[in-house]
């Protein structure tokens, strides 16, 4: 486990610190190979299937990254990441990174893979594994096709919202939530890449809080979540606020990136896009509310025929406490970011 975690850190570091396309590609490959054993660790058929799907998708995306950089080098003689100027290369790169991240229309693999992996690996997949591709987009953001990015972003937010509505598995709900958050990151990328990174950091913070909370309750489906209030009542009630923060309601942390992104889009004369993406995030709000409803608001007598869980006197992991506090209370630091 230590080796794989070290490889993950190494791969991410190589990608985010590289200037040469081949180095970036190497980092992405190391990352993919390090996460595969963590996905297939349980030897359950679904975990093996998830690892296989993940491997095939990421291998395709890596090949496309290499292809796009080679095309660019062929036409311009440049291997530098920031010098990606050839339009075909930009198009192929956008496709490749979208496949890596799971942006619509290349999102099919992500919920399946997340459903097949344990919650902690799921957390890595939806946060740490998305960091290197997002840094590549950040470095090439000047030359990417704006219209394509905005279209994919709006489609991601729409589909992430729609498809999350009828899910009963918490990991799948978190996967669709991740897809719709990626939409918010992609829409602002061409106009203000720093906001993309800010959105990603805050999303990572809130998702980590939710995943670790679910992990400490061992809640994999909504019906388990309904009886989890007996196990850790305080954690359960604070999960409500974390989920609402993930949905982006003021005055919680999750409202900050959405507010800044909408402001920036209106400045760029893209008020219609801002309106559409804000309305589509209401779909996400619905399923976060449903998670919160199952976790916090349903008390007995309710209809689930599950055994009640025993109250645990184990102290909550301090990391969960810190992350949850941050994912609820960070809105007042917005003046620091705005300056």
């Amino acid at each position: 486990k230590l080796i794989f975690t070290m490889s993950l850190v190494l791969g991410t570091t190589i990608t985010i610190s590289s200037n040469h396309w081949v180095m970036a590609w190497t980092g992405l490959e190391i990352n993919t190979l390090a996460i595969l054993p963590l996905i297939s660790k349980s030897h359950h058929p679904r975990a093996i299937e998830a690892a296989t799907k993940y491997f095939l998708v990421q291998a395709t995306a890596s090949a496309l990254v290499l292809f796009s950089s080679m095309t660019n080098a062929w036409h311009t003689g440049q291997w530098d990441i920031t010098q990606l100027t050839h339009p075909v290369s930009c198009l192929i790169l956008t496709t490749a990174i979208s496949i890596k991240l799971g942006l619509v229309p290349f999102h099919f693999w992500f919920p399946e893979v997340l459903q097949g992996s344990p919650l902690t690996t799921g957390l890595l997949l939806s946060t740490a594994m998305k960091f290197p591709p997002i840094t590549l987009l950040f470095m090439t953001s000047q030359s990417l096709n704006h219209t394509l990015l905005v279209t994919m972003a709006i489609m991601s937010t729409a589909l992430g919202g729609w498809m999350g509505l009828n899910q009963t598995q918490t990991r799948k709900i978190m996967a669709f939530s991740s897809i719709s958050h990626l939409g918010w990151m992609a829409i602002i990328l061409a106009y203000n890449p720093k906001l993309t990174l800010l959105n990603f950091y805050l999303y990572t913070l809130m998702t980590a809080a939710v995943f670790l909370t679910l992990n400490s309750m061992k809640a994999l489906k909504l019906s388990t979540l309904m009886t989890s209030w007996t196990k850790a009542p305080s954690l359960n009630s604070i999960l409500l606020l974390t989920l609402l923060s993930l949905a982006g309601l003021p005055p919680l942390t999750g409202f900050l990136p959405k507010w800044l992104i909408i402001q920036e889009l209106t400045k760029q004369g893209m008020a219609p896009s801002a309106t559409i993406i804000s309305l589509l995030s209401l779909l996400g709000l619905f399923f976060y509310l449903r998670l919160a409803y199952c976790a916090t608001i349903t008390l007995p007598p309710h209809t689930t025929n599950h055994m009640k869980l025993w109250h645990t006197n184990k102290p909550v992991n301090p990391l969960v406490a810190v992350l949850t506090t941050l994912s609820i209370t960070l809105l007042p630091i917005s003046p620091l970011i705005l300056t």
Side-chain angles (χ1 to χ4, degrees), residues 209-267:
V210 173
F211 263 110
L212 292 172
T213 307
L214 292 174
N215 190 39
S216 63
M217 294 171 182
K218 300 279 176 282
L220 296 178
K221 1 185 235 302
L222 288 182
S223 51
T224 327
L225 208 56
M226 281 183 177
T227 54
S228 64
W229 58 271
T230 50
K231 199 174 181 183
S234 51
L235 185 62
N236 214 333
S237 44
I238 210 90
L239 177 64
L240 169 73
L241 286 175
T242 319
L243 286 166
L244 290 182
S245 177
L246 203 52
L249 289 190
L252 305 164
T253 309
F255 176 59
L256 174 59
K258 286 191 166 48
W259 169 36
L260 294 177
I261 286 173
I262 290 172
Q263 191 181 342
E264 183 66 31
L265 285 174
T266 355
K267 274 184 198 162

Side-chain angles (χ1 to χ4, degrees), residues 48-286:
I48 306 293
E49 180 191 346
T52 315
K53 281 178 180 167
Y54 186 76
F55 173 72
L56 292 172
V57 168
Q58 298 295 320
T60 314
S62 290
L64 282 174
V65 167
L66 212 50
F67 181 53
S68 109
S69 51
M70 279 169 64
T71 316
N72 190 58
W74 181 264
H75 284 281
T76 61
Q78 278 289 349
W79 278 101
D80 198 316
I81 292 184
T82 46
Q83 303 292 323
L84 188 80
T85 45
H86 194 255
V88 179
S89 304
C90 294
L91 201 65
I92 299 172
L93 182 83
T94 312
T95 313
I97 302 285
S98 309
I99 296 175
K100 271 209 170 293
L101 289 172
L103 272 170
V104 174
F106 309 108
H107 64 288
F108 298 104
W109 62 274
F110 189 53
E112 300 294 323
V113 170
L114 218 59
Q115 181 57 33
S117 26
L119 278 166
T120 38
T121 312
L123 170 62
L124 279 178
L125 281 171
S126 33
T127 55
M129 299 303 290
K130 306 225 156 161
F131 186 44
I134 282 180
T135 50
L136 287 180
L137 280 181
F138 179 80
M139 288 193 275
T140 54
S141 59
Q142 299 312 314
S143 43
L144 298 177
N145 184 339
H146 294 198
T147 325
L148 180 67
L149 279 172
V150 171
T151 315
M152 286 169 94
I154 289 176
M155 275 164 48
S156 294
T157 318
L159 262 150
W162 278 121
M163 293 176 76
L165 290 180
N166 59 354
Q167 300 296 335
T168 56
Q169 303 283 338
T170 49
R171 283 169 296 188
K172 277 201 171 165
I173 292 179
M174 292 311 292
F176 287 115
S177 128
S178 179
I179 292 170
S180 64
H181 274 274
L182 280 170
W184 280 89
M185 292 174 217
I187 198 167
I188 199 65
L189 184 76
Y191 304 101
N192 190 341
K194 285 181 181 162
L195 279 186
T196 300
L197 281 185
L198 171 75
N199 193 347
F200 178 73
Y201 296 145
L202 292 178
Y203 158 74
T204 303
L205 188 77
M206 297 181 291
T207 308
V210 173
F211 263 110
L212 292 172
T213 307
L214 292 174
N215 190 39
S216 63
M217 294 171 182
K218 300 279 176 282
L220 296 178
K221 1 185 235 302
L222 288 182
S223 51
T224 327
L225 208 56
M226 281 183 177
T227 54
S228 64
W229 58 271
T230 50
K231 199 174 181 183
S234 51
L235 185 62
N236 214 333
S237 44
I238 210 90
L239 177 64
L240 169 73
L241 286 175
T242 319
L243 286 166
L244 290 182
S245 177
L246 203 52
L249 289 190
L252 305 164
T253 309
F255 176 59
L256 174 59
K258 286 191 166 48
W259 169 36
L260 294 177
I261 286 173
I262 290 172
Q263 191 181 342
E264 183 66 31
L265 285 174
T266 355
K267 274 184 198 162
Q268 300 285 353
M270 293 184 59
S273 300
T275 314
I276 292 169
I277 203 165
S278 316
L279 287 173
L280 288 172
S281 68
L282 287 176
L283 293 166
L285 173 64
F286 179 83

Side-chain angles (χ1 to χ4, degrees), residues 12 46 51:
T12 306
R46 178 161 274 172

